[in-house]
Amino acid sequence: MDTSGEANPDLESFREQWRAEVRARRPTTQASSSSSQQQPRPQQQTTLSAAELATEHHLHPRKPPPAPAKQVVAPRQDYEDDYIQPRSFDAPNDGAAAASTSAQGGWTVNKTMKDPVTALDHYEKAVEREAAGSLGDSLRLYRKAFRMDDSVDQKYKNKYFPKQKAQPPAAAPVTAGGTDSAAAASTPAEQPQTMKELINSFAGLAIEPAGPPIEGMPPPPCPIASLPEELLVHIMRDVAILDVADFARLAQVCKRFAFLVATEDRIWRRICLGDEFGFGGMHYHWQRQLTWEPLTEEDLLTEFEEQMQAQEKARAEKAAELDKDAADDDDETAETPDVSLLLPLTPEQRAEKHAEESRATTLAFYKTLYNSSWLRMWRLRPRIRFNGCYISTVNYIRTGQANANATTWGSPVLIVTYYRYLRFFRDGTAISLLTTAEPADVVYHLTREAVALHAGKKATNSNNAVPTHLPSVPMQYALKGRWRLTSAADNPAAPLNEIEGDLIVETQGVGKYIYRLDLTLKSAGKMGAKNNKLVWRGFYNYDRMTDDWGEFTLKHDKPFFFSRVKSYGVLGE
């Protein structure tokens, strides 16, 4: 099947007409925007022919980044991720959680924390320092803990990750008749209830009021026990819209609440389809530019071109699977697509179309991938979390240079530690930061205000720069960016269960470059947390002048893990 531009002259003529209109509006747009911008752009001061060439080059979509090199490695189980404990950062002005950084640059610790005494105390302290990235201190504490007790690691696992003990089988009752005792012995032991059976046993229970505070006195009133179930479900739905975590904690109140939280599908449907916490707030297309500005007409046209190329590529791949005769028959019977349906949309039409597509995709996944369970979809479907940030702690060892005047035989060994931070916002923007500053000194300043304060400035003592004593000094290296999740448009030929789960982040780079991070959403830990891990798929740089892609090596980079930051608020704004 011929899929070139000659096979569809109407579409090609429409493209040329649209490009001509954009080129005609380009000089006017440049003249109006140059007066409003403080920094002049050299590209706008060139001749008209150069501007037309630049516009023509911009209208064409960027070619995709190169596929990462496939390395044949032995399969490795991420058993260490089973012991990942979610971290939470309190408000910076919270006196109970206030921390102080040691003069040696160690991990922030509470002033009231006691010094470790037992082997388990040293091991717990070592785990804390290792999670913070202070590998040198953690090694010293590990050595001291194992000198005091060589089985301290097992004691730590038994304390924080205890194994469920198997219940012994119930002993058969002794009876006078041998037949009854033999029948009782042959029956299997009673199995413990599963979680589903336990929840179903709460179905017929009512809300029990609290007992009287003093024996013989009347019990206190319990108005919520007399509410109809419809009103109770409506109240719980309003709680879920404000905060899903508070709604889940209602299951700890009583057995009736636990049954409603686990089985009331209408509430979980509202959560999944809503844009407060659910998938209605996820973005599967770009919503902003790299500079956090709204998308322009050229951006919309570029997106339209990319979608057309993806459709043409999908049709070509489908045609390649057919025989030559079948492809010829398909060409004869195929109808020319209606060009009016392929016109670029306005921003309002585009937002409405994407909202409808997102809702339709959610409903399709609900029936096929998640067994018609909204609660299962909420727990397992990939989504971005906004009430915290993702942190990657990188440690590696390199050999230093020996001192010529030293009497030691070997060379010194250096432990290098740095951190990568990613914070996502609901409008499709993101902040990326690479620094050696520790999380307790950074996470509270991953805000738009701090980025604007340090934009284009260096922390010096000059009058035009940001003072070095500000706590948000690490934000001088922060990069603006944007994010989106992958959808069926990125890979039309992929099966349904492989469409979602990947995350694309683009950030500003140095000079003419753009950085692109390809990540995958995963889950880590046995505590039930989901979507708290970002695994690297690729790291690329794009040259905007030459339209070339380059790939960064990921020799030392580690996955990102989510950390809750309470100062961001429930919605993460």
Side-chain angles (χ1 to χ4, degrees):
M1 180 184 297
D2 186 11
T3 58
S4 61
E6 298 178 357
N8 197 344
D10 296 335
L11 181 60
E12 287 298 323
S13 61
F14 161 74
R15 290 176 178 173
E16 293 298 331
Q17 181 180 2
W18 180 267
R19 290 167 181 159
E21 293 178 359
V22 173
R23 285 195 298 267
R25 292 195 300 265
R26 182 69 175 179
T28 306
T29 306
Q30 292 179 352
S32 60
S33 60
S34 60
S35 59
S36 60
Q37 294 181 353
Q38 297 180 358
Q39 298 180 358
R41 297 184 179 181
Q43 291 82 356
Q44 297 178 356
Q45 299 177 359
T46 56
T47 61
L48 181 61
S49 59
E52 291 180 354
L53 292 176
T55 304
E56 186 70 20
H57 175 74
H58 180 75
L59 289 178
H60 286 287
R62 300 186 312 218
K63 57 184 180 181
K70 296 183 179 180
Q71 299 179 357
V72 180
V73 295
R76 182 180 63 88
Q77 297 181 353
D78 294 335
Y79 63 91
E80 295 181 356
D81 293 347
D82 295 340
Y83 301 99
I84 293 295
Q85 295 184 359
R87 300 171 59 192
S88 178
F89 295 91
D90 296 327
N93 57 356
D94 189 357
S100 61
T101 306
S102 61
Q104 292 78 12
W107 176 249
T108 57
V109 296
N110 199 331
K111 293 181 179 180
T112 61
M113 183 177 297
K114 298 180 180 179
D115 294 333
V117 178
T118 64
L120 186 59
D121 294 341
H122 284 84
Y123 196 91
E124 292 173 347
K125 186 69 175 178
V127 172
E128 178 187 351
R129 307 286 282 191
E130 183 182 5
S134 183
L135 195 58
D137 293 342
S138 64
L139 289 175
R140 177 179 56 82
L141 292 169
Y142 277 132
R143 292 193 187 101
K144 191 171 183 179
F146 278 104
R147 289 194 191 102
M148 300 173 68
D149 187 357
D150 57 355
S151 61
V152 65
D153 56 337
Q154 295 298 328
K155 294 181 180 179
Y156 177 83
K157 292 181 180 180
N158 295 335
K159 179 180 179 181
Y160 292 98
F161 308 97
K163 297 181 179 180
Q164 297 181 356
K165 298 181 180 180
Q167 296 182 358
V174 179
T175 58
T179 305
D180 295 338
S181 61
S186 61
T187 57
E190 183 180 357
Q191 297 294 331
Q193 285 184 322
T194 62
M195 181 60 69
K196 185 176 181 180
E197 294 174 349
L198 181 63
I199 293 298
N200 291 335
S201 65
F202 300 158
L205 300 180
I207 301 176
E208 297 182 359
I214 302 176
E215 185 177 357
M217 298 291 292
C222 184
I224 199 171
S226 59
L227 282 180
E229 184 172 344
E230 292 78 7
L231 292 179
L232 187 60
V233 170
H234 185 80
I235 294 173
M236 297 179 72
R237 188 193 66 177
D238 292 343
V239 173
I241 294 175
L242 295 176
D243 190 355
V244 181
D246 288 343
F247 168 68
R249 280 190 286 268
L250 289 177
Q252 303 176 3
V253 176
C254 63
K255 294 181 179 180
R256 183 59 184 171
F257 277 18
F259 176 78
L260 292 176
V261 169
T263 61
E264 189 52 55
D265 226 26
R266 291 174 293 180
I267 299 179
W268 289 110
R269 183 181 188 273
R270 174 63 178 82
I271 294 173
C272 291
L273 295 179
D275 56 357
E276 295 86 4
F277 304 97
F279 305 102
M282 299 295 105
H283 300 303
Y284 301 91
H285 303 81
W286 298 122
Q287 302 297 320
R288 296 279 179 169
Q289 299 181 9
L290 289 177
T291 57
W292 297 352
E293 299 294 332
L295 297 177
T296 61
E297 293 182 357
E298 295 180 0
D299 297 322
L300 299 180
L301 181 60
T302 301
E303 181 185 46
F304 170 75
E305 291 278 351
E306 292 176 352
Q307 294 177 355
M308 295 302 302
Q309 288 185 0
Q311 294 179 5
E312 293 176 359
K313 182 180 179 181
R315 287 195 296 266
E317 294 177 353
K318 183 178 180 181
E321 298 176 357
L322 303 176
D323 297 333
K324 182 178 180 181
D325 297 338
D328 295 338
D329 296 339
D330 185 65
D331 287 337
E332 295 176 0
T333 58
E335 297 181 358
T336 304
D338 188 2
V339 179
S340 61
L341 300 177
L342 303 176
L343 298 176
L345 304 176
T346 62
E348 294 77 11
Q349 295 174 344
R350 177 178 179 269
E352 182 178 357
K353 177 184 176 182
H354 291 169
E356 294 176 355
E357 291 178 352
S358 176
R359 185 181 181 88
T361 303
T362 301
L363 294 176
F365 286 173
Y366 163 72
K367 297 180 180 179
T368 55
L369 297 182
Y370 302 103
N371 301 327
S372 299
S373 173
W374 292 106
L375 176 58
R376 181 179 177 85
M377 172 182 281
W378 170 256
R379 287 182 54 82
L380 300 181
R381 188 180 178 187
R383 57 184 172 86
I384 293 296
R385 303 174 65 175
F386 303 106
N387 57 346
C389 60
Y390 293 83
I391 304 175
S392 173
T393 304
V394 183
N395 287 298
Y396 67 93
I397 300 175
R398 67 181 180 89
T399 305
Q401 184 177 3
N403 190 357
N405 299 325
T407 58
T408 58
W409 290 92
S411 300
V413 176
L414 305 179
I415 300 177
V416 182
T417 302
Y418 64 90
Y419 305 87
R420 291 186 182 272
Y421 300 89
L422 283 176
R423 185 187 176 186
F424 304 102
F425 297 93
R426 292 182 177 273
D427 60 351
T429 59
I431 296 177
S432 175
L433 176 62
L434 172 65
T435 179
T436 57
E438 297 176 352
D441 301 328
V442 175
V443 294
Y444 308 115
H445 309 292
L446 283 174
T447 61
R448 294 188 178 97
E449 293 76 11
V451 173
L453 176 64
H454 296 273
K457 301 178 181 178
K458 296 299 181 181
T460 60
N461 294 324
S462 60
N463 296 329
N464 297 329
V466 178
T468 56
H469 64 271
L470 288 181
S472 60
V473 163
M475 294 301 294
Q476 63 180 315
Y477 303 107
L479 302 175
K480 293 182 178 181
R482 58 182 182 176
W483 67 270
R484 71 175 179 89
L485 296 170
T486 57
S487 61
D490 296 299
N491 191 1
L496 193 63
N497 58 347
E498 297 180 2
I499 290 177
E500 293 188 334
D502 294 337
L503 173 67
I504 301 176
V505 182
E506 289 187 353
T507 66
Q508 295 175 330
V510 179
K512 59 182 180 180
Y513 291 99
I514 295 176
Y515 298 151
R516 170 170 169 148
L517 293 73
D518 287 359
L519 306 167
T520 300
L521 282 161
K522 296 290 184 179
S523 300
K526 291 184 177 180
M527 308 302 293
K530 302 296 181 182
N531 298 312
N532 59 347
K533 180 181 178 182
L534 294 177
V535 182
W536 287 95
R537 291 191 299 115
F539 191 14
Y540 310 96
N541 61 84
Y542 173 73
D543 191 337
R544 288 177 287 187
M545 299 298 295
T546 60
D547 194 22
D548 292 330
W549 285 92
E551 183 176 2
F552 293 114
T553 58
L554 298 174
K555 183 177 180 181
H556 301 294
D557 288 274
K558 304 296 182 181
F560 292 83
F561 292 96
F562 180 79
S563 296
R564 170 77 182 273
V565 183
K566 295 183 179 180
S567 61
Y568 295 171
V570 176
L571 298 177
E573 295 292 338

